[in-house]
Amino acid sequence: MNQLRGIIRYELLMSWRRRALPMLMLTFLAALVLIGLMIEQVSATVDRGVISVQVQDGVTTITQRIEDGSIIEEPLDAEAASRLPPWMIGLDLSQAANTIRGINVLIPALMVLVVGSIPLLSDVIPLDRQYRIRELLDATPLHRSLYLIGKVLSVWVGLLIGLALCFGIFQSVLYLRYGAYDLLPLLLDWLVFAIPLTLMTSFGTLLFTSWAGTRRVGLLVGIGLIPVGVYLYFVSAMTLSGVGRLVNPVYGFGTMGASLNGINDQTIALESVIGMLLIYAVAFAAVWMFGWGVARWREAR
Amino acid sequence: MKGKAILNHWQLAWRRGFRSVGWFLPLIGAGIIFGAILTSLGGFQIAFLRFNALEVVLPLFVGVQAALLFAPDDEPPLELMLAKPRPLPWVLFERTAALIVIYGLIAGVASLLVLTLPNAESLAQTFVRWLPPTIGMIGIGVWISVSSRKASSGVFAAVMLCGAMAVGQTVLLPRYEFMSWVMFYVQPWDVSAERYLANRLILTLIGLLTFASALGLLRDSERMLGTNQAVAQ
Amino acid sequence: MIEIENLSKTYRGGVKALSNLTLNIDTGMFGLVGPNGAGKTTLMRILAGLLRPSGGRVTAFGHDLATYAGRHTVKMNLGYLPQELGLYPNLNAYEFLDYMAILKGITDAGERKRQIGNLLETVRLTDSAKRPLKTYSGGMKRRIGIAQALLGHPRLLIVDEPTAGLDPEERVRFRNLLADMAVERTIILSTHIVEDISQSCNDLAVMRAGTVVFRGAPADLIQRARGHVWTLTGQRPAESLTLVSTLHLQQGVQYRVLGDPGGDALPAEPTLEDGYMWLMQSAELSKTAK
């Protein structure tokens, strides 16, 4: 454990000094801002329409913002009230709209993080060979698996710290710009979609570039991995980014330009989220075994 | 005569230049470009983008390759190169020339193929579409790799920039019109003819200026060796 | 105690680096010399557990290097300085040594700090300990390499060209340091600088083409050249003789040669370098004769 801690500590320090992690996180923040600006335009439609639906003493009251921006409150007749989806009742739709804005910014910005992380992380292991440090490392009692685990964990810890910082900044900006929002669905998206996707991409990048002898070769392999990262992103976006539905169906996968009128009110089963995370785990194990197999094969040669 | 004398004096290492470009990425780039054109998708649609494959793929691949051409930290014989009478910028010249030859060939053939498609533009218009952003990306890719000393930074920037340009073209341009000055993929019908030509000119200038700046950095041997920050004892 | 029996190593492509090498190395300073491509680095890498032999057996302190457990135990007691030393350019000397100490299994932070402080003092880099390694000169990098090899008080120290790039003063200091440490350790020193061997080793092996062609004390190697070393002044010696040195003096050019020049050549006292050259020449002659 001491060796592992040491590797993580010093690898983190080196990646900080190489500017790889800060560069990646700054790009991610820039993407969040840029996409936020883009979405502001289309989200204007969200600001118009229903703000909340309340039921009191059997009377359904709807609060909405009309064209000129003013807010009106009016009772609904029984037939119109029956057409409203049940999840809408009692929900602060203004708050929900802000949350959807956040989710809509986060999902495309993650694409930037995934694509950007591949070239920036593809040299983590090849650099040891380029710096001719491997001979020294091999002469220590450090097991090769531990070396690889240390490298992966150091990148993961760096990414997790970076993502946590970005999340903090992101939610503060979201609050200051738009007001209150639902933290839980946003946090769920971060935990179930953003973090596993980022960890899986970085893990694959590290393992598949581990055989490269120079940064250049590692980069070339990394470039080849970008389409794989993009594919992984889309698969994850389609399956995991709607995890907010666990909280309320309103937090489904809100595509850009979605308005509250067109919200997908399908619910999501917890099992399907767990199922997808299990697929991640299996893919993780497969990539690990592949990487380990390649390493052993190279050693045997 | 003087030019010939210089060429005779400092031989160009063409083989090394072509090897630094390699075959892997050009082959993939060519595959995508020709694949798109040959399937008669002159107006090839990548997701929500409206541009042709040549205009989208070429600057991206050239930018990535330009970033891989020369980075001080990834050049083991750098000290030897600096000790040679031939100036270091020549290394970048010969490698960039190899890059231009390889991708120029791909782009030239692809441009001719595009002409055979229905509703095709003229050859000059096709060139105006892909050449300025490609020159821009060569300069930017090279400059970032040389100034940051790492090819990974250049590749990262090239990929991010092309991605941002592609997305921004569709989403940001309608809102922030001023961005049309520097957008890679701005279309002739999006802006006035004068603005379009100005955009092409600006992109070309960005490429040439950043390339010149990279050459300037290469002339600073202390900076190349990385000894300008601290002195060894 | 290191025991090497019939060790051979053939690389991919059929390059034979070691062939049937047998050698026993005791506690103390052991010198390894030989021309380029003799197999010294391959032997050192096998002893450090970095390479697997193609045949034969190696044990160090009773641990078989063919097994993982054996290699692991040896690595726990190993200090290794490779010929081509790589360092992390973004770390400073203290951080690098701390990292290496952790990887070597020195778990106690206080102990690490103490050892690193002492070693930085030993290699005279205390003042530069906080500077990034990328700003170090070649000699300073070499000294950091020496310091990392000495971390953890290793029982076995394998150093490949340790003094290359060091100034004369540092070379002498480091030679003495190794000699002091050799009292209770096994130190294998591979070098092309024969003077380093003559000044510090009481036991040495000369390797050539993957085998040991001489094993013994430096004095024995010197003895082999006795009667074959001559100095000539004036005329250039014949091509058949091995020219060891050329010195421009006021009275003319003085040549030091191996062989039998005859004439007015004067016999000279042999050095270890002469012994080594004579041995190589004899080995080449016997190979040609075969």
Side-chain angles (χ1 to χ4, degrees), chain C residues 232-279:
Chain C
L232 290 163
T233 307
Q235 79 274 30
R236 193 173 172 84
E239 288 292 317
S240 56
L241 299 169
T242 302
L243 187 60
V244 179
S245 69
T246 306
L247 199 61
H248 290 267
L249 302 172
Q250 271 187 335
Q251 60 269 37
V253 183
Q254 189 185 74
Y255 301 97
R256 187 179 177 93
V257 295
L258 294 179
D260 189 8
D264 52 0
L266 298 171
E269 189 59 27
T271 63
L272 190 63
E273 193 173 49
D274 298 326
Y276 171 78
M277 293 293 284
W278 181 249
L279 184 74

Short mmCIF file of all heavy atoms in Angstrom, two decimals, chain C residues 232-279:
data_model
loop_
_atom_site.label_atom_id
_atom_site.label_comp_id
_atom_site.label_asym_id
_atom_site.label_seq_id
_atom_site.Cartn_x
_atom_site.Cartn_y
_atom_site.Cartn_z
N LEU C 232 59.26 3.30 -26.54
CA LEU C 232 60.14 3.63 -27.67
C LEU C 232 60.13 5.14 -27.85
O LEU C 232 59.07 5.75 -27.74
CB LEU C 232 59.57 3.04 -28.96
CG LEU C 232 59.58 1.55 -29.19
CD1 LEU C 232 58.62 1.21 -30.31
CD2 LEU C 232 60.98 1.13 -29.57
N THR C 233 61.23 5.70 -28.13
CA THR C 233 61.25 7.14 -28.40
C THR C 233 61.80 7.36 -29.80
O THR C 233 62.78 6.73 -30.20
CB THR C 233 62.13 7.86 -27.37
OG1 THR C 233 61.69 7.48 -26.05
CG2 THR C 233 62.01 9.38 -27.49
N GLY C 234 61.13 8.20 -30.52
CA GLY C 234 61.61 8.51 -31.88
C GLY C 234 60.77 7.86 -32.94
O GLY C 234 59.73 8.38 -33.32
N GLN C 235 61.27 6.67 -33.37
CA GLN C 235 60.59 6.06 -34.54
C GLN C 235 59.25 5.45 -34.15
O GLN C 235 59.08 4.95 -33.03
CB GLN C 235 61.49 5.02 -35.23
CG GLN C 235 61.57 3.66 -34.58
CD GLN C 235 62.63 3.58 -33.46
OE1 GLN C 235 62.93 4.56 -32.79
NE2 GLN C 235 63.20 2.41 -33.26
N ARG C 236 58.30 5.51 -35.09
CA ARG C 236 56.97 4.96 -34.85
C ARG C 236 57.07 3.43 -34.86
O ARG C 236 57.72 2.86 -35.73
CB ARG C 236 56.02 5.44 -35.96
CG ARG C 236 54.57 5.18 -35.61
CD ARG C 236 53.61 5.79 -36.61
NE ARG C 236 52.28 5.30 -36.28
CZ ARG C 236 51.50 5.84 -35.35
NH1 ARG C 236 51.90 6.90 -34.70
NH2 ARG C 236 50.31 5.33 -35.08
N PRO C 237 56.46 2.75 -33.88
CA PRO C 237 56.56 1.29 -33.81
C PRO C 237 55.88 0.59 -35.00
O PRO C 237 55.01 1.18 -35.65
CB PRO C 237 55.85 0.94 -32.51
CG PRO C 237 55.01 2.08 -32.18
CD PRO C 237 55.64 3.27 -32.77
N ALA C 238 56.31 -0.66 -35.21
CA ALA C 238 55.75 -1.45 -36.33
C ALA C 238 54.25 -1.70 -36.10
O ALA C 238 53.76 -1.69 -34.97
CB ALA C 238 56.49 -2.78 -36.42
N GLU C 239 53.54 -1.93 -37.19
CA GLU C 239 52.08 -2.14 -37.14
C GLU C 239 51.71 -3.38 -36.31
O GLU C 239 50.63 -3.46 -35.74
CB GLU C 239 51.53 -2.30 -38.56
CG GLU C 239 51.51 -1.03 -39.38
CD GLU C 239 50.52 -0.01 -38.87
OE1 GLU C 239 49.39 -0.41 -38.53
OE2 GLU C 239 50.88 1.18 -38.77
N SER C 240 52.62 -4.37 -36.26
CA SER C 240 52.32 -5.63 -35.56
C SER C 240 52.22 -5.43 -34.04
O SER C 240 51.67 -6.27 -33.33
CB SER C 240 53.39 -6.67 -35.89
OG SER C 240 54.66 -6.15 -35.53
N LEU C 241 52.81 -4.34 -33.54
CA LEU C 241 52.78 -4.08 -32.10
C LEU C 241 51.52 -3.32 -31.71
O LEU C 241 50.97 -2.56 -32.51
CB LEU C 241 54.01 -3.25 -31.70
CG LEU C 241 55.37 -3.90 -31.97
CD1 LEU C 241 56.48 -2.90 -31.81
CD2 LEU C 241 55.58 -5.08 -31.02
N THR C 242 51.07 -3.53 -30.47
CA THR C 242 49.89 -2.79 -29.99
C THR C 242 50.34 -1.50 -29.33
O THR C 242 51.11 -1.51 -28.36
CB THR C 242 49.11 -3.64 -28.96
OG1 THR C 242 48.76 -4.86 -29.59
CG2 THR C 242 47.84 -2.94 -28.50
N LEU C 243 49.87 -0.41 -29.89
CA LEU C 243 50.25 0.90 -29.36
C LEU C 243 49.28 1.25 -28.22
O LEU C 243 48.08 1.33 -28.41
CB LEU C 243 50.13 1.94 -30.49
CG LEU C 243 50.63 3.34 -30.22
CD1 LEU C 243 52.11 3.33 -29.86
CD2 LEU C 243 50.38 4.22 -31.42
N VAL C 244 49.87 1.47 -27.02
CA VAL C 244 49.02 1.77 -25.86
C VAL C 244 48.89 3.28 -25.66
O VAL C 244 47.81 3.78 -25.37
CB VAL C 244 49.60 1.12 -24.58
CG1 VAL C 244 48.75 1.45 -23.36
CG2 VAL C 244 49.70 -0.38 -24.75
N SER C 245 49.99 4.00 -25.85
CA SER C 245 49.91 5.45 -25.69
C SER C 245 50.97 6.15 -26.53
O SER C 245 51.99 5.55 -26.89
CB SER C 245 50.06 5.84 -24.21
OG SER C 245 51.37 5.58 -23.78
N THR C 246 50.72 7.40 -26.82
CA THR C 246 51.66 8.24 -27.57
C THR C 246 51.84 9.53 -26.80
O THR C 246 50.84 10.18 -26.45
CB THR C 246 51.08 8.56 -28.97
OG1 THR C 246 50.74 7.34 -29.62
CG2 THR C 246 52.08 9.32 -29.83
N LEU C 247 53.08 9.87 -26.50
CA LEU C 247 53.34 11.06 -25.67
C LEU C 247 54.34 11.95 -26.39
O LEU C 247 55.42 11.49 -26.76
CB LEU C 247 53.89 10.59 -24.31
CG LEU C 247 53.82 11.57 -23.15
CD1 LEU C 247 52.38 11.95 -22.85
CD2 LEU C 247 54.43 10.91 -21.91
N HIS C 248 53.95 13.20 -26.59
CA HIS C 248 54.87 14.14 -27.25
C HIS C 248 55.74 14.81 -26.19
O HIS C 248 55.24 15.56 -25.36
CB HIS C 248 54.08 15.19 -28.03
CG HIS C 248 53.42 14.61 -29.23
ND1 HIS C 248 54.00 14.60 -30.48
CD2 HIS C 248 52.24 13.97 -29.37
CE1 HIS C 248 53.19 14.00 -31.34
NE2 HIS C 248 52.11 13.59 -30.69
N LEU C 249 57.03 14.47 -26.22
CA LEU C 249 57.97 15.04 -25.24
C LEU C 249 58.95 15.95 -25.96
O LEU C 249 58.98 15.98 -27.21
CB LEU C 249 58.75 13.92 -24.54
CG LEU C 249 57.91 12.88 -23.79
CD1 LEU C 249 58.79 11.73 -23.33
CD2 LEU C 249 57.23 13.53 -22.59
N GLN C 250 59.78 16.65 -25.15
CA GLN C 250 60.75 17.57 -25.77
C GLN C 250 61.77 16.81 -26.61
O GLN C 250 62.20 17.25 -27.66
CB GLN C 250 61.46 18.36 -24.68
CG GLN C 250 60.70 19.64 -24.34
CD GLN C 250 61.46 20.52 -23.39
OE1 GLN C 250 62.30 20.03 -22.63
NE2 GLN C 250 61.17 21.82 -23.42
N GLN C 251 62.13 15.60 -26.13
CA GLN C 251 63.17 14.83 -26.83
C GLN C 251 62.58 14.00 -27.98
O GLN C 251 63.28 13.21 -28.59
CB GLN C 251 63.96 13.94 -25.86
CG GLN C 251 63.13 12.91 -25.11
CD GLN C 251 62.63 13.45 -23.76
OE1 GLN C 251 62.28 14.61 -23.63
NE2 GLN C 251 62.57 12.59 -22.76
N GLY C 252 61.34 14.15 -28.23
CA GLY C 252 60.70 13.41 -29.33
C GLY C 252 59.42 12.74 -28.88
O GLY C 252 58.97 12.95 -27.76
N VAL C 253 58.84 11.92 -29.76
CA VAL C 253 57.58 11.26 -29.42
C VAL C 253 57.88 9.93 -28.73
O VAL C 253 58.68 9.14 -29.23
CB VAL C 253 56.73 11.02 -30.69
CG1 VAL C 253 55.38 10.42 -30.33
CG2 VAL C 253 56.54 12.30 -31.47
N GLN C 254 57.24 9.72 -27.58
CA GLN C 254 57.47 8.47 -26.85
C GLN C 254 56.24 7.57 -27.00
O GLN C 254 55.12 8.00 -26.75
CB GLN C 254 57.71 8.76 -25.38
CG GLN C 254 58.17 7.53 -24.62
CD GLN C 254 58.29 7.81 -23.12
OE1 GLN C 254 57.30 7.92 -22.42
NE2 GLN C 254 59.52 7.93 -22.66
N TYR C 255 56.51 6.35 -27.44
CA TYR C 255 55.42 5.38 -27.64
C TYR C 255 55.50 4.30 -26.58
O TYR C 255 56.59 3.83 -26.24
CB TYR C 255 55.53 4.72 -29.03
CG TYR C 255 55.46 5.71 -30.17
CD1 TYR C 255 56.63 6.18 -30.77
CD2 TYR C 255 54.23 6.15 -30.65
CE1 TYR C 255 56.57 7.08 -31.81
CE2 TYR C 255 54.17 7.06 -31.71
CZ TYR C 255 55.34 7.51 -32.29
OH TYR C 255 55.29 8.40 -33.32
N ARG C 256 54.34 3.87 -26.10
CA ARG C 256 54.28 2.75 -25.16
C ARG C 256 53.61 1.62 -25.92
O ARG C 256 52.47 1.79 -26.42
CB ARG C 256 53.46 3.15 -23.95
CG ARG C 256 53.44 2.15 -22.82
CD ARG C 256 52.59 2.70 -21.67
NE ARG C 256 52.48 1.76 -20.58
CZ ARG C 256 53.29 1.73 -19.52
NH1 ARG C 256 54.26 2.60 -19.42
NH2 ARG C 256 53.12 0.83 -18.57
N VAL C 257 54.30 0.50 -26.04
CA VAL C 257 53.77 -0.57 -26.89
C VAL C 257 53.74 -1.91 -26.14
O VAL C 257 54.46 -2.11 -25.16
CB VAL C 257 54.58 -0.74 -28.19
CG1 VAL C 257 54.47 0.47 -29.07
CG2 VAL C 257 56.04 -1.06 -27.88
N LEU C 258 52.91 -2.80 -26.65
CA LEU C 258 52.86 -4.18 -26.15
C LEU C 258 53.42 -5.09 -27.22
O LEU C 258 53.13 -4.92 -28.39
CB LEU C 258 51.42 -4.59 -25.85
CG LEU C 258 50.67 -3.86 -24.73
CD1 LEU C 258 49.26 -4.39 -24.61
CD2 LEU C 258 51.39 -4.08 -23.39
N GLY C 259 54.20 -6.05 -26.82
CA GLY C 259 54.79 -6.98 -27.79
C GLY C 259 56.29 -7.03 -27.61
O GLY C 259 56.78 -6.85 -26.49
N ASP C 260 57.01 -7.21 -28.68
CA ASP C 260 58.46 -7.27 -28.59
C ASP C 260 59.06 -6.45 -29.72
O ASP C 260 59.34 -6.96 -30.80
CB ASP C 260 58.92 -8.74 -28.69
CG ASP C 260 60.40 -8.86 -28.37
OD1 ASP C 260 60.99 -7.83 -27.94
OD2 ASP C 260 60.94 -9.96 -28.55
N PRO C 261 59.28 -5.15 -29.44
CA PRO C 261 59.77 -4.29 -30.52
C PRO C 261 61.26 -4.47 -30.83
O PRO C 261 61.71 -4.17 -31.92
CB PRO C 261 59.50 -2.88 -29.97
CG PRO C 261 59.50 -3.03 -28.50
CD PRO C 261 59.03 -4.40 -28.20
N GLY C 262 62.02 -4.99 -29.84
CA GLY C 262 63.44 -5.18 -30.04
C GLY C 262 64.15 -3.84 -30.14
O GLY C 262 63.62 -2.80 -29.76
N GLY C 263 65.35 -3.80 -30.69
CA GLY C 263 66.10 -2.57 -30.87
C GLY C 263 66.37 -1.87 -29.56
O GLY C 263 66.65 -2.51 -28.54
N ASP C 264 66.28 -0.52 -29.58
CA ASP C 264 66.59 0.22 -28.36
C ASP C 264 65.35 0.53 -27.51
O ASP C 264 65.32 1.52 -26.79
CB ASP C 264 67.34 1.52 -28.70
CG ASP C 264 66.60 2.35 -29.74
OD1 ASP C 264 65.51 1.89 -30.19
OD2 ASP C 264 67.10 3.42 -30.08
N ALA C 265 64.34 -0.29 -27.60
CA ALA C 265 63.16 -0.12 -26.75
C ALA C 265 63.51 -0.45 -25.32
O ALA C 265 64.33 -1.32 -25.04
CB ALA C 265 62.04 -1.04 -27.23
N LEU C 266 62.87 0.29 -24.41
CA LEU C 266 63.14 0.09 -22.99
C LEU C 266 61.96 -0.62 -22.32
O LEU C 266 60.80 -0.28 -22.60
CB LEU C 266 63.35 1.44 -22.30
CG LEU C 266 64.54 2.26 -22.80
CD1 LEU C 266 64.48 3.67 -22.20
CD2 LEU C 266 65.84 1.57 -22.42
N PRO C 267 62.25 -1.58 -21.44
CA PRO C 267 61.14 -2.25 -20.76
C PRO C 267 60.44 -1.27 -19.81
O PRO C 267 61.08 -0.41 -19.22
CB PRO C 267 61.81 -3.39 -19.98
CG PRO C 267 63.23 -2.98 -19.84
CD PRO C 267 63.56 -2.13 -21.02
N ALA C 268 59.12 -1.42 -19.69
CA ALA C 268 58.36 -0.52 -18.80
C ALA C 268 57.58 -1.33 -17.78
O ALA C 268 57.27 -2.51 -18.01
CB ALA C 268 57.40 0.33 -19.63
N GLU C 269 57.29 -0.66 -16.67
CA GLU C 269 56.50 -1.31 -15.60
C GLU C 269 55.04 -1.39 -16.08
O GLU C 269 54.43 -0.39 -16.43
CB GLU C 269 56.60 -0.47 -14.33
CG GLU C 269 56.03 -1.09 -13.09
CD GLU C 269 56.66 -2.42 -12.69
OE1 GLU C 269 57.85 -2.67 -13.05
OE2 GLU C 269 55.95 -3.22 -12.05
N PRO C 270 54.45 -2.60 -16.13
CA PRO C 270 53.07 -2.69 -16.64
C PRO C 270 52.03 -2.12 -15.68
O PRO C 270 52.23 -2.13 -14.47
CB PRO C 270 52.86 -4.19 -16.83
CG PRO C 270 53.82 -4.83 -15.91
CD PRO C 270 54.99 -3.91 -15.76
N THR C 271 50.95 -1.64 -16.24
CA THR C 271 49.82 -1.18 -15.45
C THR C 271 48.65 -2.14 -15.71
O THR C 271 48.75 -3.03 -16.54
CB THR C 271 49.39 0.24 -15.86
OG1 THR C 271 48.95 0.16 -17.23
CG2 THR C 271 50.50 1.24 -15.72
N LEU C 272 47.54 -1.89 -15.02
CA LEU C 272 46.37 -2.75 -15.22
C LEU C 272 45.84 -2.60 -16.66
O LEU C 272 45.40 -3.56 -17.27
CB LEU C 272 45.26 -2.38 -14.23
CG LEU C 272 44.09 -3.35 -14.18
CD1 LEU C 272 44.49 -4.74 -13.72
CD2 LEU C 272 42.98 -2.82 -13.27
N GLU C 273 45.96 -1.39 -17.17
CA GLU C 273 45.51 -1.15 -18.54
C GLU C 273 46.34 -1.97 -19.53
O GLU C 273 45.82 -2.57 -20.48
CB GLU C 273 45.60 0.33 -18.87
CG GLU C 273 44.87 0.70 -20.14
CD GLU C 273 44.83 2.20 -20.35
OE1 GLU C 273 45.89 2.85 -20.26
OE2 GLU C 273 43.75 2.72 -20.60
N ASP C 274 47.67 -2.04 -19.27
CA ASP C 274 48.55 -2.86 -20.11
C ASP C 274 48.13 -4.32 -20.03
O ASP C 274 48.10 -5.03 -21.04
CB ASP C 274 50.01 -2.72 -19.67
CG ASP C 274 50.53 -1.30 -19.81
OD1 ASP C 274 50.10 -0.62 -20.76
OD2 ASP C 274 51.33 -0.89 -18.96
N GLY C 275 47.86 -4.75 -18.78
CA GLY C 275 47.45 -6.15 -18.59
C GLY C 275 46.18 -6.47 -19.36
O GLY C 275 46.07 -7.50 -20.01
N TYR C 276 45.26 -5.54 -19.31
CA TYR C 276 43.98 -5.73 -20.01
C TYR C 276 44.21 -5.78 -21.52
O TYR C 276 43.70 -6.66 -22.22
CB TYR C 276 43.04 -4.58 -19.64
CG TYR C 276 41.77 -4.54 -20.46
CD1 TYR C 276 40.73 -5.41 -20.18
CD2 TYR C 276 41.62 -3.64 -21.52
CE1 TYR C 276 39.57 -5.39 -20.94
CE2 TYR C 276 40.47 -3.61 -22.28
CZ TYR C 276 39.45 -4.49 -21.99
OH TYR C 276 38.31 -4.48 -22.75
N MET C 277 45.02 -4.85 -22.01
CA MET C 277 45.27 -4.80 -23.46
C MET C 277 46.00 -6.06 -23.92
O MET C 277 45.70 -6.61 -24.99
CB MET C 277 46.13 -3.57 -23.79
CG MET C 277 45.44 -2.25 -23.57
SD MET C 277 44.07 -2.00 -24.71
CE MET C 277 44.94 -1.61 -26.20
N TRP C 278 46.95 -6.51 -23.09
CA TRP C 278 47.71 -7.72 -23.44
C TRP C 278 46.79 -8.94 -23.50
O TRP C 278 46.90 -9.78 -24.40
CB TRP C 278 48.86 -7.91 -22.44
CG TRP C 278 49.70 -9.12 -22.75
CD1 TRP C 278 49.77 -10.26 -22.02
CD2 TRP C 278 50.56 -9.28 -23.86
NE1 TRP C 278 50.61 -11.16 -22.61
CE2 TRP C 278 51.13 -10.57 -23.77
CE3 TRP C 278 50.91 -8.49 -24.95
CZ2 TRP C 278 52.00 -11.09 -24.71
CZ3 TRP C 278 51.80 -9.00 -25.88
CH2 TRP C 278 52.33 -10.29 -25.76
N LEU C 279 45.90 -8.98 -22.54
CA LEU C 279 44.94 -10.09 -22.48
C LEU C 279 44.04 -10.10 -23.73
O LEU C 279 43.80 -11.15 -24.34
CB LEU C 279 44.07 -9.94 -21.23
CG LEU C 279 43.07 -11.06 -20.96
CD1 LEU C 279 43.78 -12.31 -20.46
CD2 LEU C 279 42.04 -10.61 -19.93
#
